[in-house]
Amino acid sequence: MIPVTRPFSPPIEEYHELLKGIWQRNWFTNNGPLVNDLELKLKRYLGMKHLLYVSNGTIAIQIALKALNITKEVITTPFSYVATTSALVWEGCTPVFVDIDSETFNIDPKKIEAAITENTQAILATHCFGNPCDVEAIKVIADKHGLKVIYDAAHCFGTKYKGESIFKWGDVSTTSFHATKLYHTIEGGAIFTEDPELLKQMAWRRNFGHKGPEDFHGVGVNGKNSEFHAAMGVLNLNYIDQILAARKQQSGFYDDMLRKAALQKPKIASDVAFNHAYYPVVFESHEDMMRVKNNLEKKEIFPRRYFFPSLSGLNYVKETATPVSDDIASRILCLPLYFELSEVEVDMICRRILRVLNN
Ligand SMILES: *Cc1c(COP(=O)(O)O)cnc(C)c1O
């Protein structure tokens, strides 16, 4: 079976070693030494001044919204994982969908201003598949209208823009370390901001609002993560260069094999060091996509329709027309991409795709 992704797993002996320390200390969660170590190492690796390690990428978005006091309309993308929208609705905000650019699959900055009303407070955009949004254009619009910017950068571990981590952009940037992401801590995520006051606030919001054992700053949530998750994160960080290199090489194999096929791939922005988080391909028609998907599944190869359906059609949002997103969503497949995927397997997948498309 070849799934769309498989979690990276470090040697089990290495995890055992770290487990021994957790047992000796008998310190399982609540800002333990491995969580602290992971936060330091991630900051160093990413070149970020601040970072909060949290329990997942969804709570990261929710804490950001709460800390920025966003409660009304938020301009967002219809082409993302459902958590981008559900986090907004869960926090009592109203998602306002702006269609995507047909070449990058990211929110189209040219269409943002038309969606701004007196109730708009923020823009929540996803760097889709690890490919940065037009962050400069979005910043100009946000500054002009006094809007906050939050980036759902769940796909972006390792992506750099102009030589620096893409996590530097936005008032707040969030990411996910879920097992399906290229760098993971089983479950987990992180929040980034360059603003020290906002950071402090998000830190107490992550820990029930605690101000010492008997006092509270305000309303908080349980957004902490455990020593067991941090241990996986510390180990996986030792392999991150290998992980990124493998994905780049595998993507290169796909590129070579599929060169002659009529497939669209996202246009990566310039000045970007891309992390090859996914290998999405857009077919000429929905029918072609479905024929390929069905054919691969017969051979136990499972690409995924990321992202389908468009979030603008969810049954808990105001339905909005987002024709570009709907069109891409109807024709896109993410092909298998994970650390152990071999060149032979990529070759086999591509041969099948080419055979279906040439028939
Ligand atoms: C994975 C993902 C999330 C959710 O992250 P979790 O850690 O699973 O909560 C949010 N947004 C996007 C775009 C994602 O891909």
Side-chain angles (χ1 to χ4, degrees):
M1 207 258 287
I2 301 181
V4 70
T5 187
R6 246 186 235 273
F8 177 83
S9 30
I12 196 165
E13 302 75 31
E14 297 185 4
Y15 198 70
H16 275 154
E17 275 310 303
L18 292 182
L19 285 180
K20 278 189 211 156
I22 298 176
W23 249 255
Q24 276 156 13
R25 291 186 292 275
N26 194 23
W27 190 347
F28 289 173
T29 186
N30 284 3
N31 212 26
L34 283 169
V35 164
N36 274 303
D37 188 36
L38 179 63
E39 286 189 334
L40 270 172
K41 285 181 168 145
L42 286 172
K43 277 190 259 189
R44 204 176 305 146
Y45 176 76
L46 296 165
M48 298 294 295
K49 228 186 297 169
H50 307 298
L51 166 159
L52 295 169
Y53 180 47
V54 295
S55 38
N56 59 69
T58 308
I59 202 76
I61 302 171
Q62 290 177 221
I63 291 173
L65 290 165
K66 191 72 90 195
L68 292 168
N69 198 20
I70 309 294
T71 56
K72 297 179 192 167
E73 288 177 12
V74 178
I75 288 176
T76 191
T77 175
F79 196 70
S80 182
Y81 183 59
V82 69
T84 315
T85 297
S86 65
L88 282 171
V89 175
W90 194 270
E91 286 300 318
C93 303
T94 307
V96 175
F97 293 98
V98 164
D99 211 347
I100 57 171
D101 179 279
S102 62
E103 295 196 324
T104 65
F105 313 157
N106 286 324
I107 195 166
D108 187 344
K110 292 189 298 299
K111 295 177 184 154
I112 290 179
E113 279 196 298
I116 296 175
T117 74
E118 57 189 8
N119 291 320
T120 309
Q121 294 179 308
I123 299 168
L124 170 58
T126 301
H127 303 299
C128 196
F129 302 131
N131 181 26
C133 292
D134 188 342
V135 288
E136 271 139 11
I138 291 172
K139 183 162 170 39
V140 168
I141 296 163
D143 287 349
K144 178 172 159 200
H145 296 272
L147 306 178
K148 299 292 184 190
V149 177
I150 302 171
Y151 283 111
D152 180 346
H155 303 164
C156 288
F157 199 88
T159 293
K160 287 184 181 171
Y161 178 60
K162 295 189 173 167
E164 293 193 309
S165 172
I166 192 67
F167 297 142
K168 290 212 168 152
W169 286 83
D171 293 279
V172 179
S173 183
T174 65
T175 197
S176 166
F177 301 145
H178 184 256
T180 54
K181 308 302 203 248
L182 78 85
Y183 168 79
H184 78 90
T185 71
I186 309 171
E187 291 275 356
I191 312 177
F192 305 88
T193 181
E194 304 268 280
D195 174 346
E197 284 310 309
L198 193 56
L199 183 88
K200 273 187 217 155
Q201 192 204 145
M202 293 193 291
W204 62 252
R205 296 229 187 242
R206 170 181 66 168
N207 187 29
F208 301 103
H210 268 294
K211 181 183 184 181
E214 295 173 6
D215 199 7
F216 296 91
H217 294 277
V219 67
V221 72
N222 184 357
K224 294 177 275 95
N225 213 333
S226 82
E227 291 293 278
F228 297 80
H229 294 86
M232 183 64 92
V234 167
L235 293 181
N236 286 348
L237 200 53
N238 295 333
Y239 295 92
I240 188 64
D241 291 338
Q242 281 169 254
I243 293 171
L244 289 168
R247 297 178 98 91
K248 185 172 180 185
Q249 191 180 43
Q250 292 156 345
S251 300
F253 294 149
Y254 272 124
D255 287 345
D256 286 346
M257 285 291 293
L258 296 174
R259 182 151 290 136
K260 294 221 181 76
L263 295 169
Q264 181 194 350
K265 285 178 277 178
K267 186 174 149 210
I268 308 299
S270 49
D271 293 319
V272 170
F274 183 49
N275 65 355
H276 301 279
Y278 297 85
Y279 198 89
V281 287
V282 180
F283 294 82
E284 282 190 320
S285 67
H286 175 71
E287 291 67 33
D288 280 354
M289 184 276 291
M290 288 305 294
R291 282 198 300 132
V292 167
K293 180 169 181 280
N294 291 333
N295 184 289
L296 291 176
E297 284 176 355
K298 270 191 219 134
K299 286 286 164 213
E300 302 269 292
I301 300 163
F302 296 98
R304 283 287 296 269
R305 296 184 68 187
Y306 290 146
F307 289 101
F308 176 83
S310 288
L311 302 174
S312 46
L314 286 168
N315 67 6
Y316 51 82
V317 302
K318 183 166 162 263
E319 205 174 329
T320 318
T322 52
V324 180
S325 174
D326 296 356
D327 174 46
I328 299 292
S330 75
R331 297 186 284 128
I332 197 166
L333 278 185
C334 278
L335 302 180
L337 194 66
Y338 49 87
F339 189 71
E340 299 97 342
L341 187 72
S342 68
E343 185 175 1
V344 173
E345 288 168 318
V346 172
D347 190 78
M348 177 182 71
I349 294 165
C350 293
R351 280 176 198 281
R352 296 194 76 86
I353 294 173
L354 294 171
R355 205 177 310 139
V356 173
L357 292 181
N358 291 332
N359 268 320

